[in-house]
Amino acid sequence: IFAEIKWIASKKIQYVLNADSNFGMHRRDIKIAEKLIETKHKTGYPHKFRTTWGKNTSEQIFKIANMLHSCDLSKGITLARQTNSKEALKNVKRDNIKLDAYTDLEKKFNNLQIPVYAEMIMGLPGETYKSWVDGLGSLLDSNVNNQIFVYQAEIYPNTELNEQSYRKKHGIKTLKIELQETHCSPKEQEWLKEYQEIVIGTSTMSEKDWKKRNL
């Protein structure tokens, strides 16, 4: 990893998106953060380091986030939510921490002047139009409102959402669209086309309501 950080600096790569889904949970992660900071001080690169933080925010995560923020490396910290619908959470086998805990976490990060953003996923099976609107409202009411990012639910190979029995059970309708990428220039290779399959309707959320909430 240290060699990769050195290579990133040598190529003057400005923006790094870390592939670790739970950064900050392991003891080694603080050493990685220290190396990133040391390398930026020496070379000026990378400019920014974005990562997906561990879901159970710990004192180590607070410490690492503060370290990265103090040298202007951080792109903020995620308070992952996905949905506030209990039915949708059950269907995708996830759990959320309570909103009052979210509020406490946000206040702690705000005191450190670290940007906070919540992430929500539209189109999860079991979500209704009302539960989606109520879920966004509860986030705003609880002061988790620094930023809220909304993503479309996507279908990937080798996941439960991709199983025909699961699709049929939840009435999942999808659409394949051209891959929408960020932080990069449009691909010029005509021979290389990538697509993403997004959920546009379920048995609890009609396609019409899905379109309405995307406006």
Side-chain angles (χ1 to χ4, degrees):
I1 294 173
F2 285 4
E4 288 185 352
I5 293 173
K6 182 179 180 181
W7 181 88
I8 286 168
S10 70
K11 300 299 180 180
K12 298 184 177 180
I13 294 173
Q14 299 181 18
Y15 180 86
V16 176
L17 177 59
N18 185 19
D20 188 342
S21 296
N22 292 285
F23 188 68
M25 291 182 64
H26 298 288
R27 282 176 291 180
R28 68 170 192 174
D29 293 341
I30 195 166
K31 296 180 180 179
I32 294 172
E34 290 170 347
K35 177 59 70 171
L36 283 164
I37 292 168
E38 175 191 330
T39 304
K40 182 174 182 180
H41 284 324
K42 287 182 178 179
T43 68
Y45 294 93
H47 291 177
K48 294 292 183 181
F49 174 78
R50 182 175 178 181
T51 189
T52 302
W53 296 91
K55 305 304 179 288
N56 296 315
T57 307
S58 64
E59 287 302 318
Q60 175 166 283
I61 288 179
F62 280 116
K63 183 176 181 180
I64 294 174
N66 195 29
M67 288 166 53
L68 295 175
H69 179 70
S70 65
C71 66
D72 199 29
L73 261 170
S74 175
K75 288 289 289 183
I77 193 160
T78 311
L79 295 180
R81 194 96 193 147
Q82 286 82 52
T83 176
N84 283 343
S85 165
K86 291 181 180 180
E87 185 65 24
L89 286 171
K90 182 179 72 173
N91 289 338
V92 297
K93 298 180 175 62
R94 290 190 65 92
D95 195 10
N96 279 337
I97 62 174
K98 294 180 180 179
L99 278 173
D100 56 354
Y102 257 64
T103 303
D104 291 340
L105 287 173
E106 187 194 33
K107 287 179 179 178
K108 191 166 184 178
F109 283 118
N110 282 343
N111 289 337
L112 295 173
Q113 296 185 323
I114 297 174
V116 176
Y117 55 94
E119 294 181 323
M120 299 283 280
I121 300 177
M122 298 173 63
L124 295 176
E127 189 85 72
T128 66
Y129 185 88
K130 185 178 186 303
S131 71
W132 177 258
V133 173
D134 290 346
L136 288 178
S138 63
L139 280 179
L140 295 172
D141 291 340
S142 66
N143 295 318
V144 184
N145 57 8
N146 286 20
Q147 293 184 74
I148 299 176
F149 289 104
V150 176
Y151 300 94
Q152 302 294 337
E154 296 183 43
I155 304 291
Y156 293 101
N158 302 317
T159 64
E160 190 173 34
L161 266 72
N162 193 42
E163 295 175 1
Q164 289 303 313
S165 58
Y166 189 91
R167 290 185 183 227
K168 184 177 180 179
K169 178 181 178 180
H170 296 288
I172 295 175
K173 298 179 181 178
T174 65
L175 179 69
K176 285 190 177 181
I177 62 173
E178 191 169 336
L179 180 64
Q180 303 296 311
E181 294 182 289
T182 58
H183 303 294
C184 66
S185 301
K187 289 185 172 68
E188 296 180 357
Q189 305 100 313
E190 287 299 322
W191 56 270
L192 179 60
K193 292 290 184 182
E194 293 186 85
Y195 298 88
Q196 56 190 141
E197 185 177 6
I198 63 171
V199 177
I200 61 172
T202 65
S203 57
T204 56
M205 171 70 68
S206 68
E207 188 175 341
K208 180 180 178 182
D209 280 345
W210 177 84
K211 288 180 180 179
K212 185 178 179 181
R213 69 181 182 176
N214 270 287
L215 293 177

